[in-house]
C-alpha cells in the first residue's frame, strides 16, 4: 500500500518535472535573442525533460507492470549521445553562414584559422585529405 | 494522481510544441528553423512516452526510438547540407 503510494508519487513528480523542463526549454527557444544563446535552452533543458519522462516510464513499468524495460535506457543513451553532436552541427552551420571570421571571431593564436572556415592543418601521420570536412 | 500528472505533462508539452512552432515560423535564420525542428522531435519523443504510460503498453517505445534516430539523422544531414552544399560527398 505504502510502496504503491510512493511509486505513484515518484512517477507523478517525474512526469511533472519532465513537462516543466520541456516547457522551459521551448520557452527559452522563444525568449533568448541569438541563435548561439538559443542553442542552450533546448539542448539542455529538453534532454533533461525527456530524461525525467523516461525515468517516470521506467519506474511505472517496474512497479505497476512488474517488468524491467530496457527500451528507455536505449532511448536515453541515444539522446544523450546525440544531443551534443546536433548542437555542434547547428552551431557550425550558423558560424559558417552568419558570422565573419575576420570581424566577429577572436583569433585562434595558432598557425591555422577556425576549422569551420579553413582547411584542417596537415597531420604528420597521414596525408592531408583534399577536402576540408565541415 | 498519475492521471493528473499525465494531464499536466500533456498540457506542458503541447504548449512547448506551440512555442517551437512559433520559432519554426518566425525564425530569422535557417539554422533557427533547424533547431526548432530538432526540439520538436525531442518533444514528440516525450509525448509518445507519456502516451505509453497512459495506455500502459510498451508498443510505443519503438516509435520513440525511431523518432530519436530519424530526428538526429535529419538534423545532422540538414546542417551538413548547409555547411557543404551536399549531404554525402
Amino acid at each position: 500500500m505504502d510502496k504503491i503510494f510512493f511509486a505513484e508519487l515518484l512517477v507523478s513528480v517525474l512526469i511533472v518535472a519532465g513537462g516543466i523542463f520541456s516547457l522551459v526549454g521551448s520557452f527559452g527557444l522563444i525568449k533568448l535573442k541569438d541563435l548561439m544563446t538559443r542553442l542552450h535552452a533546448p539542448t539542455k533543458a529538453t534532454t533533461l525533460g525527456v530524461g525525467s519522462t523516461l525515468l517516470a516510464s521506467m519506474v511505472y513499468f517496474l512497479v505497476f507492470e512488474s517488468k524491467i524495460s530496457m527500451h528507455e535506457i536505449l532511448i536515453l543513451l541515444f539522446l544523450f549521445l546525440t544531443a551534443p553532436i546536433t548542437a555542434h552541427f547547428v552551431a557550425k552551420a550558423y558560424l559558417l553562414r552568419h558570422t565573419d571570421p575576420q570581424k566577429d571571431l577572436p583569433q585562434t593564436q595558432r598557425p591555422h584559422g577556425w576549422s569551420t572556415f579553413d582547411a584542417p592543418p596537415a597531420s604528420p601521420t597521414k596525408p592531408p585529405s583534399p577536402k576540408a570536412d565541415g | 494522481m498519475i492521471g493528473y500528472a499525465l494531464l499536466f505533462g500533456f498540457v506542458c508539452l503541447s504548449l512547448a510544441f506551440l512555442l517551437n512552432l512559433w520559432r519554426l515560423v518566425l525564425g530569422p535564420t535557417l539554422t533557427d528553423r533547424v533547431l526548432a525542428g530538432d526540439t520538436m522531435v525531442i518533444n514528440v519523443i516525450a509525448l509518445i512516452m507519456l502516451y505509453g504510460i497512459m495506455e500502459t503498453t510498451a508498443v510505443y517505445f519503438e516509435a520513440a526510438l525511431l523518432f530519436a534516430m530519424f530526428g538526429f539523422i535529419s538534423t545532422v544531414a540538414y546542417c551538413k547540407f548547409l555547411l557543404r552544399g551536399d549531404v554525402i560527398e
Side-chain angles (χ1 to χ4, degrees):
Chain A
M1 185 66 192
D2 245 358
K3 197 182 140 201
I4 295 291
F5 174 76
F6 278 118
E8 270 195 24
L9 193 67
L10 184 61
V11 171
S12 303
V13 165
L14 281 173
I15 289 174
V16 168
I20 287 175
F21 275 124
S22 297
L23 188 56
V24 165
S26 295
F27 181 68
L29 199 64
I30 293 297
K31 178 83 174 135
L32 298 174
K33 65 179 198 310
D34 189 16
L35 183 111
M36 283 303 189
T37 50
R38 234 175 252 154
L39 260 178
H40 165 79
T43 52
K44 287 193 181 61
T46 313
T47 42
L48 199 56
V50 172
S52 36
T53 311
L54 291 167
L55 269 181
S57 175
M58 272 183 83
V59 173
Y60 183 81
F61 281 103
L62 186 67
V63 173
F64 295 99
E65 297 284 302
S66 61
K67 63 183 173 195
I68 302 170
S69 62
M70 286 288 143
H71 300 268
E72 286 96 342
I73 297 178
L74 209 60
I75 299 173
L76 203 64
L77 264 180
F78 190 82
L79 279 180
F80 280 14
L81 283 178
T82 56
I85 303 173
T86 309
H88 177 75
F89 266 97
V90 171
K92 271 184 117 165
Y94 179 79
L95 269 186
L96 183 71
R97 291 176 70 89
H98 298 286
T99 54
D100 184 7
Q102 303 300 327
K103 251 190 351 209
D104 300 328
L105 297 178
Q107 295 300 310
T108 53
Q109 311 292 334
R110 295 219 171 86
H112 47 86
W114 284 76
S115 70
T116 308
F117 300 97
D118 296 347
S123 141
T125 51
K126 64 181 183 197
S129 71
K131 274 178 266 183
D133 194 20
Chain B
M1 186 157 59
I2 292 182
Y4 289 115
L6 279 175
L7 197 65
F8 182 82
F10 280 128
V11 169
C12 274
L13 282 169
S14 310
L15 282 177
F17 229 89
L18 282 179
L19 293 177
N20 288 342
L21 204 62
W22 188 7
R23 180 51 72 196
L24 193 75
V25 172
L26 278 186
T29 67
L30 207 50
T31 38
D32 281 309
R33 296 199 167 97
V34 175
L35 186 63
D38 186 61
T39 315
M40 276 175 117
V41 168
I42 290 178
N43 282 352
V44 161
I45 296 166
L47 213 55
I48 289 174
M49 299 311 297
L50 285 189
Y51 191 68
I53 294 178
M54 196 177 83
E55 298 280 315
T56 325
T57 59
V59 176
Y60 300 107
F61 289 135
E62 279 80 10
L65 196 58
L66 274 178
F67 259 101
M69 289 169 137
F70 278 103
F72 168 66
I73 289 174
S74 53
T75 307
V76 168
Y78 207 120
C79 287
K80 191 85 184 151
F81 179 71
L82 291 181
L83 279 169
R84 302 285 299 162
D86 205 349
V87 179
I88 301 170
E89 298 176 59

